[in-house]
Amino acid sequence: MYNTEVIKIKDSLIKDKAIDKIAETTAIKKAAQHLLNNEVVAFPTETVYGLGANALEKQAVSKIFEAKGRPSDNPLIAHISDKKQLPVLIEGDVTGVAEILINEFWPGPLTLIFNKSMRMPQVTTAGLNTVAVRMPSHPVALALISKVNLPLAAPSANSSGFPSPTRAQHVYNDLNGKIPLIVDGGICNIGVESTVVEIEENIVNILRPGGITRRMINEVIGDSYQVKIADTAEVNRPKSPGMKYKHYAPRTPLWIFKNENNLQELLNDYNINNRETLVILSSETLNTVDKNTIKTDLKNMGTINNLEYIAQNLFNLLREADQKSYELVLIEEVPNRDIGEAVMNRLKKAAVKII
Ligand code: AMP
Ligand code: MG
């Protein structure tokens, strides 16, 4: 058991992207010391909060799996703050489309898969011959990684299976007593995890949709490359094993519905007015819904014209839903485009029923 400490970094330092000043704060000094002692530390990234440990130390990385209760065949992403940290992680040079993507999207929410170096312990990559790497853009993450000058293996800082944490409080709720320190850097502004891509000759294969959208990738890679979203069967092969597990789910059963008609049907078929139900819906649907017939609690997720906002708040909404004792949470699907692809990917994994 740890006496979990939470230390906040000043908002103004984050807003100013003052990486050098952040690196000199007590929070980062303490965090770096823990990491050098092979302990784990939670820290903010632009996607979600990460639970970091020295990616090159088996003993340190094992503590991540332990604290989260993460299955040991689910590999971790190594986070770096400088391209100079790549050679210790990967085998060979970065060329071709990988280089184009890195130049365009790092630092940022894009993870690339490379052949792993001999230095990478098996525990980090869950026994795979490949390693996933990204450079986050959050100034606190960059300050911490450069301060320790080590690649940090860092999955989301939640209990395995539950919604990812986008605020320090979410991390605390899940991991209090299980880790020594949470660095609080406010709310994560992307709100869903990074896009994971694998490159096969002239194909960019998206293993997990995330903060960098398919459209953004298409726009930079030119005609000689093709982008595709890996199908589920492919993702469940050893390629991205993490995707096969139940993920992101609130404790309350979550159902996805399509539209208002659908909601009316549910009302009749499942008698939802007489069950403790929360309905999370877009502002468009909220405006048209007949409040005389739908008597459940209603929660606005925002307009479908701002999918970024919906993504940013998604995991917080799912976590809030668990704070009241609902029997059921219904959430409306969002358009499967741009960052909506990542939102729908997470919702489908979190849901027990898709209407
Ligand atoms: P998380 O750390 O929870 O954000 O999950 C990391 C994601 O990256 C999981 O879906 C993993 O399956 C995927 N991943 C990590 N390493 C690899 C790898 N070497 N090959 C394919 N996918 C990977
Ligand atoms: Mg995760």
Side-chain angles (χ1 to χ4, degrees):
M1 274 297 267
Y2 292 93
N3 198 353
T4 305
E5 209 179 348
V6 183
I7 314 182
K8 185 158 171 51
I9 306 274
K10 274 194 197 145
D11 292 338
S12 57
L13 291 178
I14 296 172
K15 215 167 118 240
D16 294 347
K17 299 192 170 67
I19 297 172
D20 293 345
K21 283 191 188 156
I22 295 170
E24 292 312 313
T25 58
T26 315
I28 295 300
K29 284 184 187 161
K30 278 196 177 179
Q33 198 51 54
H34 283 304
L35 292 167
L36 293 169
N37 291 339
N38 287 339
E39 293 291 344
V40 300
V41 166
F43 63 97
T45 81
E46 72 280 19
T47 59
V48 303
Y49 273 74
L51 184 61
N54 179 355
L56 302 172
E57 276 298 328
K58 181 178 164 189
Q59 191 203 344
V61 173
S62 304
K63 289 184 184 163
I64 295 178
F65 286 90
E66 205 176 306
K68 280 182 61 85
R70 182 173 172 110
S72 61
D73 65 346
N74 190 357
L76 306 178
I77 296 171
H79 293 68
I80 59 174
S81 58
D82 193 305
K83 280 191 248 174
K84 289 193 195 109
Q85 293 162 326
L86 266 178
V88 72
L89 302 175
I90 71 172
E91 181 79 34
D93 296 326
V94 179
T95 55
V97 72
E99 198 175 10
I100 297 173
L101 292 174
I102 284 176
N103 287 338
E104 187 69 30
F105 297 116
W106 279 10
L110 181 74
T111 297
L112 286 100
I113 310 287
F114 299 96
N115 290 325
K116 82 175 186 74
S117 74
M118 297 297 286
R119 277 285 274 122
M120 284 302 291
Q122 295 284 7
V123 61
T124 308
T125 63
L128 298 177
N129 293 326
T130 52
V131 58
V133 187
R134 90 168 181 107
M135 189 190 295
S137 63
H138 196 296
V140 174
L142 289 172
L144 179 60
I145 301 166
S146 55
K147 184 84 177 174
V148 283
N149 195 22
L150 287 170
L152 298 183
S156 49
N158 54 312
S159 290
S160 199
F162 293 108
S164 302
T166 52
R167 301 166 185 218
Q169 184 68 48
H170 298 162
V171 182
Y172 188 83
N173 294 347
D174 280 18
L175 300 180
N176 178 26
K178 296 185 172 167
I179 61 174
L181 175 64
I182 300 168
V183 180
D184 181 352
I187 298 174
C188 303
N189 60 25
I190 304 274
V192 290
E193 294 82 349
S194 63
T195 304
V196 179
V197 303
E198 168 200 59
I199 291 156
E200 285 169 337
E201 292 180 13
N202 59 345
I203 296 174
V204 178
N205 200 10
I206 300 182
L207 299 177
R208 175 178 75 182
I212 298 293
T213 66
R214 184 210 303 239
R215 187 203 302 265
M216 289 159 81
I217 295 175
N218 254 319
E219 273 167 10
V220 301
I221 60 173
D223 294 340
S224 36
Y225 298 100
Q226 197 195 330
V227 183
K228 75 174 219 237
I229 300 240
D231 60 37
T232 317
E234 195 172 14
V235 167
N236 286 350
R237 275 196 287 132
K239 280 199 172 163
S240 201
M243 302 305 283
K244 75 183 179 214
Y245 293 105
K246 181 155 183 60
H247 246 124
Y248 320 114
R251 287 180 174 79
T252 318
L254 179 76
W255 296 4
I256 304 175
F257 67 96
K258 281 196 176 54
N259 49 35
E260 200 200 334
N261 286 345
N262 224 207
L263 192 57
Q264 292 288 354
E265 280 165 26
L266 286 174
L267 191 72
N268 301 327
D269 295 352
Y270 294 94
N271 196 17
I272 61 167
N273 275 340
N274 295 325
R275 301 168 73 176
E276 290 295 322
T277 307
L278 173 68
V279 180
I280 305 174
L281 67 188
S282 64
S283 36
E284 284 80 1
T285 305
L286 182 63
N287 286 337
T288 58
V289 100
D290 181 354
K291 288 165 189 106
N292 292 318
T293 54
I294 307 251
K295 297 201 166 71
T296 66
D297 284 356
L298 300 172
K299 179 92 192 171
N300 188 352
M301 68 161 91
T303 164
I304 57 166
N305 294 319
N306 190 350
L307 293 172
E308 288 76 17
Y309 175 85
I310 291 176
Q312 190 183 66
N313 291 288
L314 177 72
F315 290 129
N316 188 51
L317 279 178
L318 297 183
R319 280 176 176 265
E320 274 182 2
D322 271 343
Q323 279 168 4
K324 290 199 188 161
S325 46
Y326 290 113
E327 251 181 84
L328 187 62
V329 179
L330 304 178
I331 190 163
E332 186 180 1
E333 67 175 33
V334 302
N336 201 23
R337 61 171 154 79
D338 301 320
I339 204 158
E341 275 191 312
V343 171
M344 286 312 298
N345 169 277
R346 306 306 186 270
L347 283 181
K348 284 181 178 164
K349 283 177 201 302
V352 293
K353 196 176 174 88
I354 303 173
I355 311 294

